[in-house]
Amino acid sequence: MVAASRTNRLPWKELLAAVVLGISFSSTDAFLQSPGCLQRRSSHQNQPLLQPRLKSPQLATYPQRWNPLGSFVMSRAGDSVPPPSPAKKGRVPQIQTTFPQAERVVGIGDIHGDGTALKKCLRMAKLMDEDETWIGGKAHLVQIGDILDRGEDERECLQLLMKLRREAEAAGGHVHLLLGNHEIMNVDLDFRYVTTRHMWEGWEKRSNEPMDEEEEEAGRELALILKDMGWPKLTMDRVEAFRPGGHITTEALAYMSVAVQIGQTVFVHGGLKLEHVRYGLEKLNQETREWLVEGSTNVALQHKPEILDDVDSPLWNRQYSVPNPSEKSLAELEKVLALRRARRMVVGHTPQLKGINSVFSKHGYEVWRCDTGMSKGMMGGPVEAFEILEDGTVHVLTEKGIVPALDRSPQRVGDFVDVCDIDSGLCTPMPEEVAKLMLDDGHDDISSALSASEEATKDAVAELVAATAAAASAAAAGVPSAGAAEIVAVGGDAA
């Protein structure tokens, strides 16, 4: 980390977009103006390193505070803004964390706003028909987080999954939606991956119920804050929808869990560490729900669980998703699952270049990695789903048919490149990491430099995916292939 005392004057437009407001580079040209300079400060691991020095006299009376993942929120000195929440304090419904083994459980990885991929996956898994109606009966569907960002069909994906959730419950089944790091980023107003104007629009509250005085006051306060910070009117609906206590947060995200356990299988977006299990998954889920529902524009009133902001948070952890987890990580996996009396952990978060695959610990505990990068906003990877039957049989569901678990074991899958190691742009960095990269770069035009880098790395990932597929086909045919050599050449030593 760079010394906290160092002051850096950098292009406000790009830095405000990527770190302070979290808006992606492709979204900035339309609106951001320069209200002041930036100054580095010391911070917690996940707090932004940059803070705007605001000039507005109207804001001079506001204590300035940062949310740990990038949202800049303010409140009047000695005053607070009541949360526009449908649930009053102490009345937040309890959230269920543990469920008995179902006759069938299907896990789907990161969607990232790709409605076509989501629907294809649901139909492939025989959970939804052509009319987009639940046909899964008593099956349980687990979407493992990251519905939001990167793709333009976010609203469609969220609405469809919430609809199927209601229909599944009526049929005796269940749809579990997990929080990913991108859901929490949106609640923290970290909009780095809101990449088109379309993604800002359409989030306005459409209820016919009139707002009460608390909601109206909160809306006026938020509008004033955004205006004084230079945020255009275009951003208002999404900010209001996703902030703690916002209508999308309370109506959708608050029904999502950090982790759930079904029978002997634990599902979580990033990965669980021993400290998370000792803290209590039930406790973490409930505290997260209370924060989402009872949030406020006043950060002093927010009670966000600190675990969510750790670098190894259950939503950010990648230790089990690298191609070859360390012995230390696998030993921790065993302890985590033993405490939960579980056999396997199922995660998303980190795109896998060879589709859904598994790793086994020394004593037979499993971790299944289910982020295939299927979204067009990612790498357009294979549409696949993870399946567990009532007798414990595990399958991978693909468009070509059912793949036995053994065929996705390390022995069959073999070595492959970690996309996070090739600077692919597919592994979302935490806000602090973005700031540090910019400060260390030295480019005069940060936006164009990152744009060129992003295009180059997307091309590299596309080549890797193609080479991986070619190598797999050649291996199945018993023919030597240059694909594996190309993968090592681009991504480094795959081992």
Side-chain angles (χ1 to χ4, degrees), residues 203-280:
W203 294 104
E204 67 274 10
K205 190 171 183 179
R206 297 176 181 176
S207 171
N208 293 325
E209 296 181 9
M211 290 190 295
D212 59 28
E213 291 184 9
E214 291 183 353
E215 289 180 308
E216 289 181 352
E217 174 61 22
R220 287 192 295 269
E221 186 78 6
L222 185 62
L224 176 64
I225 291 170
L226 295 180
K227 180 180 179 181
D228 284 328
M229 289 185 67
W231 288 45
K233 189 176 181 179
L234 159 69
T235 66
M236 181 68 185
D237 288 344
R238 189 174 184 116
V239 172
E240 175 61 30
F242 282 102
R243 67 182 180 84
H247 64 93
I248 296 296
T249 301
T250 55
E251 293 167 10
L253 304 193
Y255 289 92
M256 301 181 183
S257 303
V258 175
V260 296
Q261 181 171 343
I262 305 174
Q264 292 187 306
T265 305
V266 178
F267 294 83
V268 64
H269 182 66
L272 294 174
K273 296 181 69 65
L274 203 53
E275 63 200 70
H276 305 150
V277 178
R278 287 174 174 163
Y279 184 82

Side-chain angles (χ1 to χ4, degrees), residues 254-315:
Y255 289 92
M256 301 181 183
S257 303
V258 175
V260 296
Q261 181 171 343
I262 305 174
Q264 292 187 306
T265 305
V266 178
F267 294 83
V268 64
H269 182 66
L272 294 174
K273 296 181 69 65
L274 203 53
E275 63 200 70
H276 305 150
V277 178
R278 287 174 174 163
Y279 184 82
L281 299 187
E282 292 78 7
K283 179 181 179 182
L284 179 58
N285 279 338
Q286 189 63 27
E287 289 178 349
T288 301
R289 170 174 281 190
E290 290 174 0
W291 166 62
L292 292 171
V293 170
E294 298 181 347
S296 169
T297 51
N298 179 358
V299 75
L301 298 182
Q302 296 185 18
H303 302 286
K304 182 181 182 182
E306 292 183 5
I307 286 177
L308 298 184
D309 291 330
D310 290 341
V311 69
D312 288 326
S313 154
L315 309 183

Side-chain angles (χ1 to χ4, degrees), residues 132-147:
E132 300 183 4
T133 300
W134 176 262
I135 57 171
K138 296 181 180 180
H140 283 224
L141 166 65
V142 185
Q143 197 289 314
I144 313 172
D146 279 6
I147 300 169

Side-chain angles (χ1 to χ4, degrees), residues 353 416-419 421-422 460 464 484-495:
L353 283 178
F416 58 95
V417 174
D418 183 352
V419 296
D421 284 345
I422 60 174
L464 282 171
E486 291 173 10
I487 293 172
V488 173
V490 175
D493 185 359

Side-chain angles (χ1 to χ4, degrees), residues 8 17 22 35 103 126 148 171-172 270 276 278 303 341 352 459 493:
N8 299 274
E103 60 185 32
K126 295 181 172 55
L148 300 177
H276 305 150
R278 287 174 174 163
H303 302 286
R341 296 183 180 179
Q352 305 290 308
D459 290 342
D493 185 359

